[in-house]
Amino acid sequence: MKTRKFLAVAILALGFAFTSNAQKSVMVGGAAMYPNKNIIENAVNSKDHTTLVAAVKAADLVATLEGKGPFTVFAPTNEAFNKLPKGTVETLLKPENKKMLQNILTYHVVSGKWNASDIAKAIKDGKGKATIKAVNGGTLTAWMKGKDLYISDESGNKAKVTIADVNQSNGVIHVVDAVLLPKK
């Protein structure tokens, strides 16, 4: 009972913290991310997301992420990409691997705008876990560890949300510390 009560209070506090910053610019990778700019317009300015931006360009997904949306993007940092086995990123960026790259990148995208408070509510409603459908058709699982929000992929790999609620004109970005990999 104590654990349940603590979890409910933690989720509620997290929700309030995230909603209070709903429409302010947020610093990511040394650059301000403005809520009146789209996902691509903001992402290209982040020093922490140069690998992600290069991958989005190689996968021909720029126009999609500049589109109306709304989208929720779990955006891996350069450091997250560096955790992959040596040579993985270079291999994925090759033109012949475009479909595989698109599949991985669209696994980090969810239709709709899911702010941290929305995810926290879904976790609470799901009694500790929330299953979220990615644009590529795969599923992601959201959960909390203390006050930290995590996203797990279909293989059980986990990514911690390090910066939540980076609002965009066409959705929201949550910065994550690992690359999520779909099963297919």
Side-chain angles (χ1 to χ4, degrees):
M1 187 68 172
K2 273 187 173 180
T3 304
R4 207 151 130 197
K5 190 174 182 180
F6 174 77
L7 183 60
V9 171
I11 289 172
L12 189 60
L14 185 65
F16 285 148
F18 289 135
T19 54
S20 67
N21 291 327
Q23 293 302 314
K24 296 178 183 173
S25 65
V26 176
M27 294 299 286
V28 177
M33 302 288 121
Y34 297 101
N36 63 335
K37 291 185 176 185
N38 70 46
I39 291 166
I40 297 298
E41 289 172 329
N42 275 318
V44 297
N45 295 316
S46 170
K47 290 183 297 189
D48 292 345
H49 290 89
T50 56
T51 304
L52 179 61
V53 169
V56 167
K57 288 177 181 177
D60 285 332
L61 292 172
V62 171
T64 302
L65 292 174
E66 285 179 329
K68 186 177 178 182
F71 305 107
T72 298
V73 177
F74 297 101
T77 60
N78 296 341
E79 225 175 88
F81 280 101
N82 290 340
K83 291 179 185 177
L84 293 172
K86 188 172 175 74
T88 302
V89 173
E90 294 80 0
T91 299
L92 286 171
L93 293 176
K94 291 180 179 178
E96 62 267 24
N97 296 321
K98 184 174 167 180
K99 286 244 186 263
M100 188 186 320
L101 181 59
Q102 287 174 335
N103 187 42
I104 292 169
L105 292 176
T106 57
Y107 190 55
H108 290 79
V109 181
V110 176
S111 291
K113 185 175 182 183
W114 289 66
N115 282 315
S117 58
D118 301 320
I119 297 170
K121 181 183 180 326
I123 292 169
K124 182 181 175 202
D125 292 348
K127 298 181 179 19
K129 290 190 177 180
T131 302
I132 304 169
K133 188 171 179 94
V135 169
N136 79 338
T139 57
L140 299 167
T141 302
W143 51 283
M144 302 285 295
K145 181 177 180 181
K147 293 182 180 181
D148 296 324
L149 176 61
Y150 283 85
I151 306 296
S152 294
D153 64 22
E154 295 164 329
S155 299
N157 300 308
K158 64 182 180 188
K160 179 180 175 182
V161 174
T162 57
I163 303 174
D165 291 341
V166 184
N167 287 291
Q168 318 288 301
S169 64
N170 61 344
V172 62
I173 291 174
H174 302 289
V175 177
V176 294
D177 68 354
V179 176
L180 301 163
L181 299 171
K183 275 196 173 179
K184 50 183 169 148

